Amino acid sequence: MGKEKEIVVSGIRSTGILHLGNYFGAIRNYIRMQEEFNCYFFVADWHSLTTHPDPKALRGNVFRVLAENIASGLDPEKVTLYVQSDIPEIAELYLLLNMMAYKGELEKVPTFKDKVRQNPDNVNAGLLTYPVLMSADILIHRGLKVPVGKDQEQHLEMSRNFAQRFNNRYGYLFPEPVPFNFGSDLIRIMSLDGNGKMSKSENQNATIYLNDTDDAIRNKIKKAKTDAGPQAPNSAKPDYIANLFTIMGLVSTPDTVQHFEDAFNNCSIRYGDMKKQLAEDTAAFIRPIREKAEAIEHDSAYLNRIMRMGAEKARESAALTLREARKLMGINFY
């Protein structure tokens, strides 16, 4: 028998449409991980309930997120792809971990403080204990590696704390999960208006979504922020120009990138030409993903089969962990 593959766990939000930043920041890593690790990827539908989404929209959102991830290259035969709410064991582990989570530490989490500031009338217990549910998501499979962005690293720190507390109090069960990505240079794609990173919700005209039409992509890139061009040879690029080059490096051929790099460095660049080229290359990159995702999204029989298959595999792993946790805590009476 070969060495057992390390377990990777990652959640995918079920709200909003995936965009280019998600693709290059997360999904492309997932596609590499599925070849080397034992991967559990789930749609975090319980997490989305903290903001009380419209119940009628939930199913469509989950279907779309699954479709876009599969269309982008996630293979349901290679990874365990499931919906969080299909695994009741997660909810029970969440309850057990809540007994070891303290009000003071949960109130200090920066994302919690932000949410309280933004929506003071919706400070629900789910929001406060969000890091506990996130920990249960990871620990239920005894996950070791968790692909997370910088903004989530503190939640992961808490998962390690809960794993440690449980192990110290009841006996060893959980490995302490570590943040993990291929290579240290995480790709961040900025919004086309130069303000912050691409986002599912902020400025939709400055974000390129995986379901944008070719024309929508052309229009957005045409309006991307540029300036009068470099004033001296080999100047440093302002961040919004560097961002266009970053995207070009991901969707265009190396000689196209080189052509515009040279033009920038010798001050002959014409941003109009660059944007035209970038728009065509981005549209060509997104088109097959969009078309495939649309086909999958409308094939509910296929998606139901994938969700059932994923739930079955995930529950098998979750049940083992939960049985051990209950045994160590003394919750096994007969």
Side-chain angles (χ1 to χ4, degrees), residues 35-250:
E35 303 301 332
E36 294 178 37
F37 299 99
N38 181 2
C39 295
Y40 290 89
F41 294 134
F42 65 92
V43 181
D45 58 334
W46 275 335
H47 282 290
S48 72
L49 299 179
T50 56
T51 55
H52 315 304
D54 173 5
K56 289 195 279 297
L58 202 58
R59 183 173 179 268
N61 287 344
V62 168
F63 271 33
R64 189 183 55 231
V65 168
L66 285 168
E68 287 183 337
N69 276 277
I70 295 167
S72 298
L74 264 202
D75 183 346
E77 300 294 331
K78 288 181 180 168
V79 303
T80 304
L81 187 60
Y82 60 99
V83 178
Q84 185 184 31
S85 59
D86 277 340
I87 318 299
E89 290 83 358
I90 296 171
E92 188 172 337
L93 184 59
Y94 167 56
L95 179 126
L96 300 178
L97 294 176
N98 264 321
M99 307 306 174
M100 292 181 280
Y102 299 104
K103 178 172 164 276
E105 67 181 340
L106 294 172
E107 285 172 340
K108 281 209 278 286
V109 176
T111 41
F112 176 69
K113 288 197 231 171
D114 288 346
K115 294 278 190 319
V116 173
R117 257 199 312 278
Q118 289 158 8
N119 298 299
D121 300 333
N122 181 34
V123 185
N124 55 63
L127 218 49
L128 180 67
T129 58
Y130 194 98
V132 189
L133 181 54
M134 187 174 155
S135 302
D137 288 324
I138 297 163
L139 299 179
I140 197 74
H141 300 300
R142 293 179 245 188
L144 183 64
K145 295 189 162 169
V146 184
V148 287
K150 274 271 168 269
D151 54 337
Q152 294 285 323
E153 279 189 3
Q154 190 179 8
H155 288 170
L156 200 54
E157 185 65 37
M158 297 190 79
S159 306
R160 282 200 291 278
N161 291 344
F162 295 135
Q164 252 172 20
R165 273 173 217 173
F166 185 99
N167 294 343
N168 291 341
R169 190 168 296 172
Y170 299 112
Y172 182 80
L173 176 60
F174 299 115
E176 290 176 34
V178 292
F180 162 68
N181 284 291
F182 283 110
S184 50
D185 50 339
L186 279 186
I187 290 172
R188 280 185 79 234
I189 294 186
M190 285 174 56
S191 170
L192 296 174
D193 56 12
N195 296 326
K197 60 179 188 178
M198 262 194 197
S199 145
K200 289 181 182 174
S201 52
E202 295 296 317
N203 181 355
Q204 293 175 357
N205 294 324
T207 298
I208 294 171
Y209 295 99
L210 297 187
N211 71 349
D212 276 346
T213 62
D214 293 3
D215 280 341
I217 292 168
R218 288 185 190 108
N219 287 332
K220 288 176 179 182
I221 290 180
K222 196 169 154 186
K223 295 192 185 110
K225 180 179 176 181
T226 51
D227 53 26
Q231 303 305 304
N234 302 316
S235 304
K237 297 185 185 87
D239 53 8
Y240 50 91
I241 299 293
N243 187 49
L244 295 179
F245 275 96
T246 297
I247 300 173
M248 187 169 251
L250 298 166

